[in-house]
Amino acid sequence: MSKIPETMKAMVLTGHGGTDKLEYQEVPVPEPGAGQVLVQVTATAKNNTDRKAREGLYPTKKGEMTSFQMGGKPTLEFPRIQGADIVGRVVAVGEGVSGSRIGERGLLDFNLYANERTDINLTPDYYGHGADGGFAEYVALPSDQFHHIPNPDLADAELASMGMCSYQTAFHMLTSANVQAGEHVLVTGASGGVGTALIQLCRIIGAIPYALSQKSKADSLLDLGAEVVLDRSDMDTFLDRVKEATGGQPLDAVMDLVGGEMTDYFIDAMIFDMNARHTYPRLSIAGASGGNISEILWTRIYLYQVQIFGVSHGTREEAAQLMTWIGDGHLKPVLHGAFRLSELHKAEDYFVHRGSNYLGKIVIVPDEQWQEHGQPFALEAN
């Protein structure tokens, strides 16, 4: 194994704002502390949360420009290296970690957990936000959260596309709403990282996923496991199309990543025939791509007993289960393409202006690793 250098290339976030706040710099290679491993990064998935955190788009009060601060104060400090869904190989270990880990390929459980509880995560924060992440050549991570995934059928870039930022969020949406086998579940924003994970996870637990997306993506989403793909461009006929797809049954639950003015349509699809229901209507929401404000009559919520679950990240137990499913091949990667780390600005612009063919995740590969881990998945525009 080659000698670990003293410095590395990294894309450093210097403040809230546009992509001009991302600077490609030479910075010191971190040293692994007690209980940590030093990972040479080979691929890190890009998530929408990278952009939203950079732009300060996580307000909890009107007029606020901020990012995650559920623990009581902002944890995104500058300079910061973003990138949560990290894949790479262990090249050094800190105190208390077995040297046998050196050489292992792994995928990070990206959470900065506030305590050791495995069943709850009340103050979500993550690597790439409250601590440096994977948009760099090396990163120091907790050994117990860097899960060994030797599956030879998954390339490193593919493995990064299955990171916990999407898959754990999706799983926690389902577990929060207690989705069961046989239930009809609507997945909104179905072509993105969380949406494609939700479709697959529904099938694993035996639920029936209905995808809301663009017509151009229908074939790909059906191949992934969607029962039916509903065209989001025609919401005036949405309820009729849901009834047709389910045989007249109301949806049992909605996994929503859209919010905004669409929320009422989703509630309609769960409550139109309460006599046909066997459980309470359930709405899990983990995004607001359609708008951060929804106008809802609260009488519709409490009279129809709609249960609403806000979801951000998940638990250690859920991450462990997902790592098992990924390692066993029960979940498929949905990788759209790869960009070099030095071209992260271009990747951010591509993501914001992604077209009708976009499906799944983009990954970022350090320039030194590009030939082996990025070139096979390079986009034509890259």
Side-chain angles (χ1 to χ4, degrees), residues 10 35 54-55 63-64 71 102 108 111 133 176-177 180 190 193 219 231 242 256 266 278 340 346-347 365:
R54 169 171 50 81
E55 296 181 3
E64 191 176 48
I102 292 176
L108 176 68
N111 290 279
S176 295
Q180 300 294 311
D219 288 345
D231 185 1
V242 168
D256 186 24
F266 304 150
H278 302 286
R340 293 176 177 84
K346 185 188 293 186
V365 175

Side-chain angles (χ1 to χ4, degrees), residues 7-341:
T7 63
M8 65 178 182
K9 291 292 186 181
M11 191 63 77
V12 179
L13 179 63
T14 59
H16 284 304
T19 55
D20 60 303
K21 297 295 184 180
L22 293 167
E23 298 181 6
Y24 195 50
Q25 299 180 0
E26 191 90 14
V27 300
V29 172
E31 293 187 8
Q36 291 188 322
V37 292
L38 180 66
V39 173
Q40 184 174 25
V41 179
T42 54
T44 300
K46 207 207 84 59
N47 293 291
N48 197 33
T49 192
D50 301 325
R51 176 188 65 84
K52 295 186 73 172
R54 169 171 50 81
E55 296 181 3
L57 298 180
Y58 285 114
T60 55
K61 301 175 183 177
K62 287 187 177 181
E64 191 176 48
M65 179 181 178
T66 189
S67 191
F68 282 47
Q69 51 180 319
M70 283 74 80
K73 61 181 181 179
T75 60
L76 177 58
E77 299 175 348
F78 307 108
R80 173 67 74 223
I81 299 171
Q82 293 184 289
D85 291 328
I86 302 167
V87 170
R89 282 160 181 76
V90 177
V91 293
V93 298
E95 182 183 349
V97 180
S98 171
S100 64
R101 292 225 61 185
I102 292 176
E104 286 184 358
R105 180 182 76 161
L107 172 64
L108 176 68
D109 168 6
F110 75 132
N111 290 279
L112 289 167
Y113 294 108
N115 54 55
E116 295 301 315
R117 286 189 62 175
T118 63
D119 62 333
I120 198 167
N121 185 7
L122 291 176
T123 55
D125 200 1
Y126 59 96
Y127 283 87
H129 185 276
D132 284 339
F135 291 159
E137 294 180 314
Y138 294 88
V139 61
L141 302 169
S143 178
D144 64 348
Q145 288 179 230
F146 191 66
H147 293 257
H148 184 205
I149 308 287
N151 187 336
D153 295 328
L154 289 173
D156 287 22
E158 292 175 318
L159 181 57
S161 75
M162 305 171 79
M164 295 299 100
C165 191
S166 291
Y167 279 73
Q168 190 193 42
T169 300
F171 194 27
H172 196 55
M173 293 176 80
L174 293 166
T175 59
S176 295
N178 195 29
V179 172
Q180 300 294 311
E183 292 194 309
H184 301 275
V185 179
L186 178 69
V187 176
T188 75
S191 65
V194 180
T196 52
L198 276 165
I199 290 170
Q200 296 187 69
L201 289 166
C202 279
R203 289 303 186 185
I204 284 179
I205 67 175
I208 305 167
Y210 298 82
L212 183 67
S213 189
Q214 296 168 285
K215 187 182 296 185
S216 61
K217 301 178 182 181
D219 288 345
S220 295
L221 294 173
L222 291 169
D223 288 344
L224 200 58
E227 185 79 2
V228 172
V229 178
L230 302 167
D231 185 1
R232 73 179 190 193
S233 67
D234 182 15
M235 294 305 291
D236 288 339
T237 63
F238 173 71
L239 185 57
D240 290 336
R241 288 182 289 130
V242 168
K243 292 177 181 178
E244 181 181 358
T246 63
Q249 293 294 307
L251 294 170
D252 294 293
V254 175
M255 304 294 109
D256 186 24
L257 303 161
V258 177
E261 64 182 18
M262 287 194 176
T263 305
D264 252 2
Y265 291 102
F266 304 150
I267 293 172
D268 284 341
M270 293 191 289
I271 67 173
F272 65 80
D273 185 358
M274 294 299 289
N275 290 319
R277 298 195 62 88
H278 302 286
T279 59
Y280 293 119
R282 286 150 285 151
L283 172 71
S284 282
I285 185 159
S289 63
N292 205 27
I293 298 175
S294 301
E295 291 189 11
I296 305 171
L297 289 173
W298 282 112
T299 47
R300 281 161 56 80
I301 302 301
Y302 68 76
L303 291 176
Y304 287 97
Q305 303 185 80
V306 179
Q307 298 180 335
I308 300 177
F309 303 90
V311 173
S312 183
H313 300 202
T315 68
R316 293 178 188 268
E317 289 177 353
E318 290 162 345
Q321 176 62 78
L322 287 163
M323 295 294 182
T324 298
W325 283 334
I326 291 170
D328 291 346
H330 288 100
L331 290 164
K332 302 176 185 176
V334 187
L335 173 59
H336 182 73
F339 283 84
R340 293 176 177 84
L341 176 61

Side-chain angles (χ1 to χ4, degrees), residues 338-344 347 363-367 370 375 382:
F339 283 84
R340 293 176 177 84
L341 176 61
S342 62
E343 296 182 331
L344 182 58
V363 299
I364 307 301
V365 175
D367 292 38
W370 178 254
Q375 184 61 48
N382 187 14

